[in-house]
Amino acid sequence: MESLKQQVFDANVALPAHRLVTFTWGNVSGIDRDRQLMVIKPSGVAYEQLRPEDMVVVDLDGNVVEGRYRPSSDTATHLVLYRRYPALGGIVHTHSTHATAWAQAGLTIPAFGTTHADYFSGDIPCTRALRREEVEGDYERETGRVIVETFTDRDPLHTPGVIVSQHGPFSWGSSPEEAVHNAVVLEEVAKMAWIACSVNPHLHPIDGYLMKKHFSRKHGADAYYGQK
Amino acid sequence: MESLKQQVFDANVALPAHRLVTFTWGNVSGIDRDRQLMVIKPSGVAYEQLRPEDMVVVDLDGNVVEGRYRPSSDTATHLVLYRRYPALGGIVHTHSTHATAWAQAGLTIPAFGTTHADYFSGDIPCTRALRREEVEGDYERETGRVIVETFTDRDPLHTPGVIVSQHGPFSWGSSPEEAVHNAVVLEEVAKMAWIACSVNPHLHPIDGYLMKKHFSRKHGADAYYGQK
Amino acid sequence: MESLKQQVFDANVALPAHRLVTFTWGNVSGIDRDRQLMVIKPSGVAYEQLRPEDMVVVDLDGNVVEGRYRPSSDTATHLVLYRRYPALGGIVHTHSTHATAWAQAGLTIPAFGTTHADYFSGDIPCTRALRREEVEGDYERETGRVIVETFTDRDPLHTPGVIVSQHGPFSWGSSPEEAVHNAVVLEEVAKMAWIACSVNPHLHPIDGYLMKKHFSRKHGADAYYGQK
Amino acid sequence: MESLKQQVFDANVALPAHRLVTFTWGNVSGIDRDRQLMVIKPSGVAYEQLRPEDMVVVDLDGNVVEGRYRPSSDTATHLVLYRRYPALGGIVHTHSTHATAWAQAGLTIPAFGTTHADYFSGDIPCTRALRREEVEGDYERETGRVIVETFTDRDPLHTPGVIVSQHGPFSWGSSPEEAVHNAVVLEEVAKMAWIACSVNPHLHPIDGYLMKKHFSRKHGADAYYGQK
């Protein structure tokens, strides 16, 4: 677990380095699928004071297995996603400025260009708003469930992020590091989409063939971007 | 008083570190309720030259009790708020960019999402514009009074900040440090609200149950965010 | 002259420190009224390579009196302003982002709040566009003349900056240092005004009594901001 | 080739220094016209790990002549431009935020002011969107071809950049260093144009005589900006 705790720690401190969080407004987790354990940031601890050994280990029901801190208040959301999507190795939640603004606007981010399509093979969906009984009930778990409801049969690694309405972004990947990478992309894509809409309010998403071309340049069997 | 002067000093120099001020456009104060004394930044002294011993001590009528400098020109505003609200331990005034833009727009910042609701249990109100006789009279005191008038029976720790129309934000908390924390939040929330409105001009505030859920996650007897 | 060259050098390197310039897109000058000499940045020399001894000294007709470089291409504009306004001790020209955007928009920046009124006792005027014969003639001198034409009988120290239509901002003060201070203010005020208009498109300037109050808090016989 | 590899390396690492790239979203190339060889960044290698000896040398048909890495996935686009325009010595591609937003908006950036005209003697054109068969065919080569199609008989050194619709900016110059310089200008001009349009939606481009004046201040036989 020490290796995963280090990875999760590194991914957490990368959030302020990428200017994705103010104060403690974010968290990263990672999962050990063999041992069925999740490692996550402790709740409300400042990034500048965080140490690898402060990471909290929980089982997939959310019981703390190791660590002297309480886990992130968003733990239940992470667990819903890990249980539903076996491909996920890391999950990130932030309140990054532009992605959160789209969440507040309650709008899906359309694919307006290749920067988007290099990572997301389609739009970045915005969930519906949670209902009163969901908010007043098991709120963090319902947040996970509304993401699953929104995704229907999407492949989560082909759409490695989501906007939770009125709340903010979640992103993920095959590792904590990749999840942070996708959080950076989501924020930058959200910023570009805002400016593009401002410059041209009558904007349409790109065509499917351009989307497919760019996504497959970077992902899958025919990828030819990068060194392998 | 040395401890409070150090706290107020630390809080003042945190303002430029958080990019909330240009030049000397901001000030933080703290109060010693037992001794009925307020400590505040001296007027117009550059942050990079400020030292803890430069903080000015005034009584609650505004008379300088200790210090070789003149206190902030906004001293009277701070005093009105401390006298009216016994719960306040620290107050901040800045001209931070986005909060000031909302002040210039003369508009209340609606609660558009959970980032807002984590700190403010409702909108961030904008005062009415001051009238000619108020501006030409005891201006800084009237600025405090119009804030009090705007708040009516709001709990100031449930709405730890305000937008003074055509002027800029004030925020506060139970200590100078917490007041600065809330000044950072107010600026970030103001920025997000601007972008959200730009992306979706037909935006409505969030429902009361989501507001209540998030505010009470972080505040009050049932709080479960953080480590206690 | 060595002292003025040092002042002008310090003011020039303050421009990139305040993020007001990209590459070499800016210049500061200062004047020695007794000796009737102006000191200005050399044209097109990178800020990171600039040294105090590189400053160019010219007489008020623009002849180089000292220095191995050619003076800024905007020299003639500076000279028109110094000759017309005896109170000016320093002048700055930049292409700072938001002030230049207002110049491109061809619009005067209205006084929307106290941040503006603390430094400018009225709007920040935008000149008319230069005519073909002015552009094709003595262009830089005509740029100075259209500023003078725009100011009519304004006191330049009460309006320490201007927007030249389709071009960018000029600002000034009683010294090179103060001129840079006002360039920072102009850029920040331009940014705030853009955001305020975006948030509330039906915005009106502040009333004269609030303008007067704030300007006179900082300037003139009754000023009470700062330490004397 | 070692000198050109160093130049291309220096130009590549200047991209993150100028905040033009996120992760590996950019590349710079240079050409040795005598030897008919192009040097370009390897594909997908992080800037912080890049070394001069990692630059890849290819012939003008795109065959790797030297280097252990695969060249940038955009290699074919660069080659089309070098073959068509003998004056080009360096080419840059980025996904810089504001220029990419204009690309997503599918709009040409009009010349709204002198900052633009100092470098671009006319608008910064946006290509048409690529057609399905172009995207699914030899995509990167078609990207070069649509730029050439857009330029018709423009002089590429008088318009040292372009917006590829739905994708992002390319810029160039007589050297890799100058190409990066123009990439910085294009991004800043794109940002200013966005804000100017936001402040004044009814904006028109500047007149030809102002365009010509500013471009010729900096370029050509009559240039008088700078030191020679």
Side-chain angles (χ1 to χ4, degrees), chain A residues 112-115 119 181 184-185 188 192 194-196 198-200 203 209-210 213-214 217 224-227, chain D residues 23-25 43-44 69-70 73-74 95 97-98 100-102 104-105 107 132 135-136 139-140 166-167 194:
Chain A
F112 287 136
T114 61
T115 315
Y119 293 90
H181 192 102
V184 174
V185 174
E188 180 66 12
M192 285 176 174
W194 162 51
I195 299 171
S198 171
V199 163
N200 183 355
L203 203 46
Y209 48 84
L210 183 59
K213 173 70 185 178
H214 267 266
R217 282 217 310 181
Y224 58 95
Y225 183 93
Q227 294 302 326
Chain D
F23 299 127
T24 59
W25 306 353
S43 181
Y69 285 119
R70 298 209 304 213
S73 57
D74 297 309
H95 289 222
T97 309
H98 298 86
T100 302
W102 280 87
Q104 293 187 348
L107 294 177
R132 176 191 281 267
V135 169
E136 294 178 348
Y139 175 62
E140 288 80 9
Q166 302 176 339
H167 186 35
W194 163 51

Side-chain angles (χ1 to χ4, degrees), chain B residues 24-224:
Chain B
T24 60
W25 306 353
N27 48 71
V28 188
S29 69
I31 191 166
D32 181 328
R33 291 279 176 189
D34 291 336
R35 302 178 60 184
Q36 292 282 292
L37 295 172
M38 178 179 82
V39 175
I40 194 165
K41 180 178 177 292
S43 181
V45 175
Y47 285 99
E48 51 269 33
Q49 294 165 6
L50 212 60
R51 297 166 308 168
E53 59 266 35
D54 297 335
M55 300 300 104
V56 185
V57 184
V58 299
D59 67 23
L60 298 198
D61 295 319
N63 303 302
V64 174
V65 169
E66 189 188 318
R68 61 198 181 92
Y69 284 118
R70 299 209 304 214
S72 165
S73 57
D74 297 309
T75 293
T77 311
H78 291 239
L79 289 172
V80 168
L81 298 174
Y82 282 125
R83 279 192 301 244
R84 176 65 183 81
Y85 301 118
L88 303 196
I91 297 175
V92 173
H93 172 50
T94 76
H95 288 222
S96 67
T97 309
H98 298 88
T100 301
W102 280 88
Q104 293 187 348
L107 294 176
T108 288
I109 304 177
F112 287 136
T114 60
T115 315
H116 181 120
D118 280 337
Y119 292 90
F120 292 84
S121 72
D123 59 27
I124 301 172
C126 182
T127 69
R128 64 169 171 81
L130 289 181
R131 289 183 274 266
R132 174 190 283 267
E133 60 274 20
E134 292 167 329
V135 169
E136 295 178 348
D138 198 350
Y139 174 63
E140 288 80 10
R141 184 167 300 178
E142 297 295 353
T143 300
R145 284 177 180 153
V146 81
I147 294 171
V148 170
E149 175 192 319
T150 302
F151 265 58
T152 57
D153 57 354
R154 286 186 192 231
D155 178 337
L157 291 186
H158 287 200
T159 306
V162 70
I163 299 291
V164 176
S165 184
Q166 303 177 338
H167 186 33
F170 283 80
S171 62
W172 44 74
S174 59
S175 67
E177 184 185 5
E178 190 178 298
V180 170
H181 192 102
N182 290 330
V184 173
V185 174
L186 204 166
E187 173 62 9
E188 180 65 13
V189 162
K191 184 175 185 183
M192 285 175 174
W194 163 51
I195 299 171
C197 287
S198 171
V199 163
N200 183 355
H202 307 292
L203 201 48
H204 293 287
I206 60 174
D207 285 306
Y209 48 83
L210 183 58
M211 178 94 73
K212 192 175 163 194
K213 173 69 185 179
H214 267 266
F215 191 76
S216 63
R217 282 215 313 179
K218 286 209 171 184
H219 304 86
D222 298 331
Y224 59 95

Side-chain angles (χ1 to χ4, degrees), chain A residues 159-225:
Chain A
T159 305
V162 70
I163 299 291
V164 176
S165 184
Q166 303 177 338
H167 186 34
F170 282 80
S171 62
W172 45 74
S174 58
S175 68
E177 184 186 6
E178 191 178 296
V180 171
H181 192 102
N182 289 331
V184 174
V185 174
L186 204 167
E187 173 62 9
E188 180 66 12
V189 163
K191 184 175 185 183
M192 285 176 174
W194 162 51
I195 299 171
C197 287
S198 171
V199 163
N200 183 355
H202 307 293
L203 203 46
H204 294 287
I206 61 174
D207 286 306
Y209 48 84
L210 183 59
M211 178 93 75
K212 192 175 164 194
K213 173 70 185 178
H214 267 266
F215 190 76
S216 63
R217 282 217 310 181
K218 287 208 171 184
H219 304 85
D222 298 331
Y224 58 95
Y225 183 93

Side-chain angles (χ1 to χ4, degrees), chain A residues 91-109:
Chain A
I91 297 176
V92 173
H93 172 50
T94 76
H95 288 221
S96 66
T97 309
H98 298 87
T100 302
W102 280 88
Q104 293 187 348
L107 294 177
T108 288
I109 305 178

Side-chain angles (χ1 to χ4, degrees), chain D residues 33-79:
Chain D
R33 292 281 175 186
D34 291 336
R35 301 179 61 185
Q36 293 283 294
L37 295 172
M38 180 178 83
V39 175
I40 193 164
K41 181 178 176 292
S43 181
V45 175
Y47 286 99
E48 52 269 30
Q49 295 165 5
L50 211 60
R51 298 166 307 168
E53 58 265 36
D54 297 334
M55 299 301 105
V56 185
V57 184
V58 299
D59 66 24
L60 298 198
D61 295 319
N63 302 302
V64 173
V65 169
E66 189 188 317
R68 60 199 182 92
Y69 285 119
R70 298 209 304 213
S72 165
S73 57
D74 297 309
T75 293
T77 311
H78 290 240
L79 289 172

